[in-house]
Amino acid sequence: MKVIISSQGHHEDDLVDVRFGRCAYFAVWDSNTNTFEFIENKGKSSDHGAGLAAAQQVIDLNGDALLSERLGPKAFRVLDQSGIHLYKCHGMTLRDAVERLKTHDLEMIKEAYR
Amino acid sequence: MDVVVLSGKGGTGKTTIATNLSKILGYAYVDCDVEEPNGYIFLKPKISEEKEVKLWNPTMNNNCLLCGRCVTACEYNALVKVLDKIMIFEELCHGCGACQLACDNEAIEGFDRTIGILKKNHEFAMGQLNLREPMGGPIISVLKKETNHFEHRILDAPPGTSCSVVKAVQGSDYAILVTEPTAFGLHDLKLAIQLIQDMKIPFGVIINRYESHTLIDDYLNDMNIPCIGRVPFSREAAVQYSKGDLLIESEKYHQVFEAIGHQVRRLL
């Protein structure tokens, strides 16, 4: 399984970024190797449509799940139709987030943040 | 000859300066503040022509192979590829047509979407953006093109220093920067000055709501920037404004604007 997480930094003990579209990095966790890989978020530097640029990047990464906190209306519309499972994290490290996902301890994101 | 009136900070009196000055100079008035045009309240024009302003937006036909070239080509992230389709976000589309050029399969058609309206007569024009539309730039471009035949124009720019301000300012012969004697006024004036200097347009500053020597005077002195007018603060002006009357209807303000008009004519 491949899990993508909006992240404030590029270490597994960094926190999940509350923001999706303008988060600093995307952490990509691979369940086979139990390792994290970090990719810069292209949306971060967009003048317009940061959420959509980020969503496209997440879709292109072809993950099974996305862990974040707040998805804007446009990003949610796209991700909701992409087949990726969306989970909500609040104030936890990337490692914690993955552990909680494994134990089915995360809430699903069912609507855009307002 | 085009004179653009801008401000950086909102609410400093752009429209007050622009409308009164257009009357004094006998220039046509063009309201480029398409998100909230209000010059018409003071000038009370009889509109003789109205037309819709449209923006091209892409649509996909069945030729689409989901290659995603259009998505990459879009500078504004208005296109997203999801599973079996391309989603289009019209509110982000600038109508540039890059997606259509990038497509090798003639899969992108398009349609013209109405985003606002233009109203004018022989000496007045205004653009008005429809509700929910986020982008004023295209209307400002059409507005300026449609009033290109006016010999002299006062262009009333939107507040701020964003793309739509740049659109309004572009090609002007002279710029008037309106400010107020507050710290906020000075802060945003500096941004507007930076913009106008980058665009290499000669300019002067008008201090509105002027009482006595202000922080703006100090700044302009230090920077050697010309102040072309000081519009006095008074209850009388506020009353005139609240009724939708031009300030030049009062003798005192008529003189103030005559002096500003004289300065502007001399500088052009």
Side-chain angles (χ1 to χ4, degrees):
Chain A
M1 184 164 75
K2 195 168 167 185
V3 178
I4 299 157
I5 315 167
S6 62
S7 169
Q8 293 185 7
H10 46 81
H11 297 287
E12 63 175 68
D13 46 4
D14 282 323
L15 292 172
V16 175
D17 204 324
V18 176
R19 304 161 303 166
F20 170 71
R22 295 197 188 273
C23 69
Y25 295 92
F26 287 119
V28 183
W29 178 74
D30 189 331
S31 63
N32 295 323
T33 56
N34 191 23
T35 53
F36 288 93
E37 200 187 316
F38 294 88
I39 301 165
E40 272 190 46
N41 171 16
K42 289 180 196 160
K44 200 183 166 209
S45 54
S46 286
D47 287 341
H48 314 264
L52 290 178
Q56 184 70 70
Q57 198 176 357
V58 167
I59 290 168
D60 294 344
L61 284 167
N62 219 354
D64 303 287
L66 170 71
L67 277 49
S68 189
E69 186 167 343
R70 296 174 181 174
L71 302 180
K74 295 192 198 86
F76 179 77
R77 232 173 93 196
V78 169
L79 292 166
D80 190 41
Q81 295 189 31
S82 69
I84 298 173
H85 297 290
L86 309 172
Y87 293 98
K88 189 172 185 161
C89 298
H90 174 73
M92 58 183 92
T93 65
L94 304 180
R95 179 52 74 185
D96 278 352
V98 167
E99 292 306 323
R100 290 200 199 192
L101 180 71
K102 284 197 234 167
T103 56
H104 306 284
D105 210 12
L106 291 175
E107 213 183 305
M108 294 201 82
I109 299 179
K110 295 206 173 84
E111 59 181 9
Y113 179 81
R114 343 163 193 241
Chain B
M1 205 60 94
D2 285 340
V3 176
V4 64
V5 180
L6 70 160
S7 73
K9 184 183 176 299
T12 56
K14 275 182 303 300
T15 298
T16 302
I17 302 296
T19 49
N20 285 283
L21 206 54
S22 81
K23 279 284 175 208
I24 288 285
L25 292 169
Y27 285 15
Y29 171 86
V30 179
D31 202 339
C32 299
D33 189 2
V34 300
E35 284 182 52
E36 42 186 356
N38 62 347
Y40 72 91
I41 295 172
F42 305 96
L43 295 170
K44 303 171 181 67
K46 279 207 173 72
I47 301 299
S48 56
E49 195 187 333
E50 275 194 33
K51 74 199 266 186
E52 290 188 329
V53 180
K54 293 167 192 277
L55 182 69
W56 181 89
N57 278 168
T59 48
M60 301 291 160
N61 65 26
N62 294 332
N63 290 348
C64 180
L65 301 175
L66 293 169
C67 70
R69 281 200 191 93
C70 55
V71 176
T72 315
C74 183
E75 185 70 17
Y76 307 102
N77 301 317
L79 301 169
V80 181
K81 189 178 112 181
V82 189
L83 298 178
D84 56 349
K85 65 177 171 198
I86 305 282
M87 287 174 78
I88 301 170
F89 289 80
E90 287 168 356
E91 64 271 39
L92 290 173
C93 176
H94 284 51
C96 70
C99 51
Q100 204 173 31
L101 290 174
C103 182
D104 287 341
N105 292 297
E106 293 180 9
I108 297 182
E109 293 168 16
F111 70 106
D112 291 325
R113 189 169 60 86
T114 303
I115 59 165
I117 192 165
L118 188 152
K119 299 175 183 179
K120 66 174 189 174
N121 65 27
H122 62 287
E123 56 174 11
F124 173 94
M126 64 185 267
Q128 196 175 327
L129 194 62
N130 284 351
L131 271 179
R132 294 181 57 108
E133 289 295 338
M135 214 166 32
I139 300 197
I140 297 170
S141 300
V142 173
L143 187 61
K144 287 177 80 171
K145 210 167 126 193
E146 291 273 332
T147 56
N148 218 355
H149 58 285
F150 292 158
E151 198 185 347
H152 299 297
R153 294 185 291 191
I154 294 273
L155 304 168
D156 193 355
T161 47
S162 63
C163 296
S164 40
V165 176
V166 173
K167 275 262 160 67
V169 169
Q170 249 166 9
S172 293
D173 300 287
Y174 187 75
I176 294 174
L177 274 50
V178 184
T179 188
E180 60 177 28
T182 65
F184 295 120
L186 177 59
H187 178 273
D188 289 359
L189 173 67
K190 288 177 186 170
L191 295 176
I193 288 174
Q194 226 178 327
L195 173 79
I196 222 75
Q197 284 176 336
D198 279 352
M199 294 180 76
K200 298 189 169 52
I201 292 171
F203 70 98
V205 173
I206 291 181
I207 309 174
N208 194 14
R209 301 195 196 98
Y210 194 86
E211 284 181 293
S212 57
H213 190 86
T214 67
L215 71 171
I216 310 281
D217 293 285
D218 291 336
Y219 177 73
L220 297 181
N221 275 338
D222 288 349
M223 303 302 287
N224 213 0
I225 290 168
C227 180
I228 59 163
R230 294 177 178 83
V231 180
F233 186 58
S234 75
R235 184 184 166 83
E236 182 193 355
V239 171
Q240 295 273 102
Y241 178 87
S242 71
K243 287 196 283 192
D245 290 341
L246 287 170
L247 295 189
I248 52 170
E249 284 164 31
S250 102
E251 184 54 35
K252 175 177 151 197
Y253 282 96
H254 195 277
Q255 280 173 17
V256 171
F257 279 95
E258 274 288 355
I260 295 171
H262 182 73
Q263 286 263 25
V264 172
R265 273 211 192 88
R266 196 173 57 86
L267 290 161
L268 283 178

